[in-house]
Amino acid sequence: MITPPAYTDSSSAPSAAPALPGHRMVLGAVSPMALDGGGHLGPFTVAYQTYGTLNADKSNAILVCHALTGDQYVADRHPITGKPGWWEMLVGPGKPVDTDRFFVICSNVIGGCMGSHGPMT
């Protein structure tokens, strides 16, 4: 059983994380996350992007997950490569995942190195 991590919202990630646009959250800062194998993980930084506006009853959130080769820049121009977001055709105002209706969240995976803790940290 995995214990949910404690978290703190942080605009300043640890110094080893790249300075990229977007949001960062430090997880496991209060208590490290217990892993099934008996170890613990924390604290670690997870970078994420959001699109749209969360409604009052918080019922319009969509979490977009990506493969290890992706990142959190779903509908933004990538800050390093300059390429369009990898789901730019699907996420945005008037698109299938309509950010005028939905609040979209996409986090960078741990080890993804685009603001989340990676091998160098």
Side-chain angles (χ1 to χ4, degrees):
M1 175 179 201
I2 296 177
T3 304
Y7 69 90
T8 56
D9 193 358
S10 173
S11 59
S12 61
S15 60
L20 297 169
H23 308 282
R24 287 168 187 73
M25 181 173 280
V26 177
L27 300 171
V30 176
S31 62
M33 181 172 53
L35 303 175
D36 284 342
H40 290 84
L41 182 63
F44 56 95
T45 300
V46 174
Y48 64 99
Q49 292 291 98
T50 61
Y51 308 88
T53 303
L54 188 62
N55 64 16
D57 65 358
K58 300 179 181 177
S59 62
N60 69 331
I62 295 176
L63 176 64
V64 174
C65 300
H66 65 80
L68 294 174
T69 58
D71 54 46
Q72 68 271 30
Y73 299 102
V74 173
D76 291 334
R77 187 156 297 279
H78 197 283
I80 295 175
T81 66
K83 292 181 180 178
W86 51 271
W87 257 20
E88 186 178 73
M89 294 176 66
L90 294 174
V91 177
K95 295 180 180 178
V97 181
D98 189 347
T99 53
D100 288 336
R101 295 181 49 214
F102 300 110
F103 178 66
V104 178
I105 307 162
C106 184
S107 65
N108 183 242
V109 296
I110 300 170
C113 303
M114 288 302 301
S116 294
H117 266 81
M120 296 299 290
T121 55

